[in-house]
Amino acid sequence: MSLDEFALIERIARRTRARADIVLGIGDDAALLQPAPGQQLAVTADTLNAGVHFPAESAPADIGWKALAANLSDLAAMGAVPAWCTLSLSLPHAEGDWLDAFADGLFALADASGIAVVGGDTTRGPLSISITAIGQVPAAQALRRDGARVGDDIWVSGHPGEAAGALRLWQQGRLDVRGVVADAAHERLRQRLQRPMPRVSLGLALRTCAHAAADVSDGLLADLGHIASRSGVAAVLQADAVPLSAALRTALGDAAALDCALRGGDDYELCFTAAPERRQAVQALAADLALPLARIGVIAEGRGVHCEGDAGAGRSGYRHFAE
Amino acid sequence: MSLDEFALIERIARRTRARADIVLGIGDDAALLQPAPGQQLAVTADTLNAGVHFPAESAPADIGWKALAANLSDLAAMGAVPAWCTLSLSLPHAEGDWLDAFADGLFALADASGIAVVGGDTTRGPLSISITAIGQVPAAQALRRDGARVGDDIWVSGHPGEAAGALRLWQQGRLDVRGVVADAAHERLRQRLQRPMPRVSLGLALRTCAHAAADVSDGLLADLGHIASRSGVAAVLQADAVPLSAALRTALGDAAALDCALRGGDDYELCFTAAPERRQAVQALAADLALPLARIGVIAEGRGVHCEGDAGAGRSGYRHFAE
């Protein structure tokens, strides 16, 4: 079933949740929103292109989920509560079934995180999804990349490298990313690539606990490098402290698993620094959220990221335009 | 010169203006913004794809200008003051010269309108520009599409149809859209297509004067149809009152000029309704802004758009996915 632009927008508009702070939603020249008093806005934009940011054969529901997840992860890394987003969708064909499946994935995550789609457009073109997400955070409470202090512990959530591991398996022809696979370890990795879970609750809890945070979208070394350079400090990482999942090690072997964890993108975990006095509080948080939080290094005087025990040293994180 | 993603972002970041309400700009996971007390946010998103929304051979500066203009026009139609935007740019190649020229056009308009780029990303892919723009408008003062009242006059700014006229000339091989052309009338039309001027000042002035407004991006009949349907009224347009520029009539003849004005997209003029008691105020505004404002019809009871004196009746506005 082929739809025109207005029918496509209508199909998205009727799926989105209501929020009391939406004065006027989709259907006018712009949405009107009422920000809460005392809050700052956290604003982020991410684009996912077919064949660049996800395998072109990915299920549309997975594409919808992941496009929003990438943005929510940025809000999580700021300690912001997701509020509203715009969705710009370029589609080669105006296919109702495809759009419904895409919306299934997108709104599954949107509804779980409380964010509403308040605008956007659909255009004809190669498949591309641009989302701008807006969150709210009380003034002066946002997590930033530039707050790391010498002596801080470095922490990471979850098991970095699993998404990159799934991508490698797919590139090797060993993983079908279009849907559920039988092998439990491979399915776990596929889920991490296709349905990453942004760490919104963790970000909110870290407001009172962490000095600096970033999400791990470019790779742990690269994103830790952003924290180090913005904070004017060095990050010293212990490679053997980076938590590698059994699924990743089994699938790729220890050396490749570590390489994925350090240099792979798309993890959407949070990397953060906190004072050593906060270790118990961070560990309590891990228990509360049922989310592993691993202490993987320390912040020191100096510059750059130093990774002790990393055989692949010298290579950096994933860059789209790098040669 | 080929650049990686971070260098591209840096190249954009150093061009944008400062604003006191930007707590944290480009360089973290998200920007942090401080909205002004008592204001609502107007949020809009528009994507422009090469070959769909602009001729692929357009000058990069024109592409940058137009991508922002489409969004500012939406803010203008809400009566909002432009504040911040995100820019998602998909580029087939990471070309520094191209990006600098694109930024020349984008920031010429951004700086003139006071809007700052606070985030975004660059990805590899077919040329596509997605901008989400955020403006501010005092609570309850926004212009909306749903406020038209029976008896209102219908007004339009400028000379609609000129952008569509330029597109037709280009499609007929009669206009080179890559740069300045010698023929003054053709150059005027080319400017309207490639460098449309969003009517931000008009939108602000109309807050106290108009009942409803929309920007003319889909075509005058289509956008007036949005006002009529959202307001639950009919719009009766006098075709012979629609102001056709001499440049457009000379280039295309009277019949095609009217067709462009009624059904062409990309005008980025404002169409609005106001009580007849406001005629003098609207005319004074036209003089203040040095912008023609023409009274082209009335709002009546009923439904739909009725165009008196339109030989091409039955065809509607431009739709990207329409057959």
Side-chain angles (χ1 to χ4, degrees):
Chain A
M1 181 185 171
S2 184
L3 303 168
D4 74 13
E5 185 190 354
F6 295 92
L8 288 170
I9 293 170
E10 173 57 31
R11 222 161 167 116
I12 293 288
R14 69 174 182 236
R15 292 285 291 269
T16 194
R17 67 184 295 128
R19 286 178 59 103
D21 55 14
I22 300 176
V23 180
L24 185 63
I26 294 171
D28 210 302
D29 291 286
L32 289 173
L33 311 171
Q34 184 61 65
Q39 302 283 307
Q40 292 177 343
L41 306 175
V43 178
T44 183
D46 265 304
T47 298
L48 269 63
N49 293 340
V52 179
H53 301 95
F54 56 87
E57 72 250 40
S58 298
D62 289 344
I63 297 170
W65 175 289
K66 185 166 181 169
L68 183 59
N71 284 276
L72 290 178
S73 180
D74 284 324
L75 296 185
M78 303 303 290
V81 180
W84 319 287
C85 68
T86 61
L87 167 67
S88 293
L89 190 56
S90 283
L91 292 174
H93 313 287
E95 243 293 331
D97 290 345
W98 190 95
L99 191 76
D100 286 344
F102 172 86
D104 286 344
L106 186 136
F107 285 109
L109 182 57
D111 291 344
S113 61
I115 199 166
V117 178
V118 297
D121 61 356
T122 60
T123 55
R124 194 168 49 194
L127 181 58
S128 176
I129 307 102
S130 281
I131 292 179
T132 290
I134 307 176
Q136 297 186 101
V137 56
Q141 289 191 27
L143 299 168
R144 302 165 54 137
R145 292 176 172 177
D146 60 6
R149 301 177 200 172
V150 172
D152 276 0
D153 294 323
I154 301 170
W155 298 81
V156 71
S157 64
H159 294 94
E162 293 189 321
L167 193 65
R168 283 200 196 179
L169 290 178
W170 172 73
Q171 287 166 335
Q172 294 166 0
R174 296 169 59 198
L175 180 65
D176 184 346
V177 296
R178 292 173 298 176
V180 175
V181 295
D183 181 280
H186 283 200
E187 174 59 14
R188 176 189 166 104
L189 301 188
R190 192 193 68 83
Q191 285 277 343
R192 296 291 300 135
L193 178 66
Q194 301 291 70
R195 294 268 178 156
M197 180 57 74
R199 304 305 187 189
V200 174
S201 299
L202 175 60
L204 297 182
L206 288 177
R207 281 179 189 166
T208 55
C209 192
H211 286 151
D215 80 329
V216 184
S217 52
D218 295 323
L220 186 54
L221 290 183
D223 289 304
L224 195 49
H226 297 150
I227 289 179
S229 67
R230 299 273 296 185
S231 300
V233 296
V236 183
L237 196 67
Q238 300 295 333
D240 59 7
V242 174
L244 304 177
S245 73
L248 185 61
R249 295 167 68 158
T250 302
L252 292 178
D254 287 359
L258 179 61
D259 191 57
C260 285
L262 294 179
R263 295 177 192 82
D266 273 0
D267 283 322
Y268 303 112
E269 296 294 347
L270 294 189
C271 175
F272 59 96
T273 82
E277 297 75 33
R278 295 292 192 164
R279 281 179 198 171
Q280 275 197 312
V282 174
Q283 279 150 358
L285 196 52
D288 283 353
L289 298 173
L291 176 66
L293 298 175
R295 188 155 52 83
I296 58 172
V298 294
I299 296 295
E301 288 186 17
R303 292 286 180 276
V305 179
H306 308 273
C307 188
E308 300 186 350
D310 169 28
R315 295 168 54 201
S316 70
Y318 175 58
R319 293 186 171 197
H320 294 303
F321 285 109
E323 302 303 333
Chain B
M1 180 183 172
S2 183
L3 303 168
D4 72 15
E5 186 189 352
F6 294 92
L8 288 170
I9 293 170
E10 173 57 32
R11 221 160 168 116
I12 293 289
R14 69 175 181 235
R15 292 285 291 269
T16 193
R17 68 184 295 129
R19 286 179 58 103
D21 55 14
I22 300 176
V23 180
L24 185 64
I26 293 172
D28 211 301
D29 290 284
L32 288 173
L33 311 171
Q34 184 62 64
Q39 302 282 308
Q40 293 178 342
L41 306 175
V43 178
T44 184
D46 265 303
T47 299
L48 269 63
N49 293 340
V52 179
H53 302 94
F54 56 87
E57 73 250 39
S58 297
D62 288 343
I63 298 170
W65 175 289
K66 185 165 181 170
L68 183 60
N71 283 277
L72 291 178
S73 180
D74 284 324
L75 296 185
M78 303 303 290
V81 180
W84 319 287
C85 68
T86 62
L87 167 67
S88 292
L89 190 55
S90 283
L91 291 174
H93 312 286
E95 243 293 333
D97 290 344
W98 191 96
L99 191 77
D100 286 344
F102 172 87
D104 285 344
L106 186 136
F107 285 109
L109 182 56
D111 291 344
S113 61
I115 199 165
V117 178
V118 298
D121 61 356
T122 60
T123 56
R124 193 169 48 194
L127 181 58
S128 175
I129 307 102
S130 281
I131 292 178
T132 290
I134 307 176
Q136 297 186 102
V137 56
Q141 287 191 28
L143 299 169
R144 303 164 54 137
R145 291 176 173 177
D146 60 7
R149 302 178 201 171
V150 172
D152 275 1
D153 293 323
I154 301 169
W155 298 82
V156 71
S157 64
H159 294 95
E162 293 189 320
L167 194 64
R168 284 199 196 179
L169 290 178
W170 173 73
Q171 287 165 334
Q172 295 166 1
R174 296 169 58 197
L175 181 65
D176 183 346
V177 295
R178 292 173 297 178
V180 176
V181 296
D183 180 280
H186 283 199
E187 174 59 14
R188 177 189 165 106
L189 301 187
R190 192 194 67 81
Q191 285 277 343
R192 297 290 300 136
L193 178 66
Q194 302 290 71
R195 294 268 178 156
M197 181 57 74
R199 302 306 186 188
V200 174
S201 298
L202 175 60
L204 298 182
L206 288 177
R207 281 179 189 167
T208 55
C209 191
H211 286 153
D215 79 329
V216 184
S217 52
D218 295 323
L220 186 54
L221 291 182
D223 290 305
L224 195 49
H226 298 150
I227 290 178
S229 66
R230 298 273 297 184
S231 300
V233 297
V236 182
L237 197 67
Q238 300 295 334
D240 60 5
V242 175
L244 304 178
S245 73
L248 184 62
R249 295 168 67 158
T250 303
L252 293 177
D254 286 359
L258 179 61
D259 191 57
C260 285
L262 294 179
R263 295 177 192 84
D266 273 1
D267 282 322
Y268 304 112
E269 296 294 347
L270 295 189
C271 175
F272 59 96
T273 83
E277 297 74 33
R278 295 292 191 163
R279 281 179 198 172
Q280 274 197 312
V282 173
Q283 279 150 358
L285 196 52
D288 282 355
L289 298 172
L291 176 66
L293 299 175
R295 189 155 51 85
I296 58 172
V298 294
I299 296 295
E301 289 186 15
R303 293 285 180 276
V305 180
H306 308 272
C307 187
E308 301 183 352
D310 168 29
R315 295 169 53 202
S316 69
Y318 175 59
R319 293 187 171 198
H320 294 305
F321 287 109
E323 303 302 333

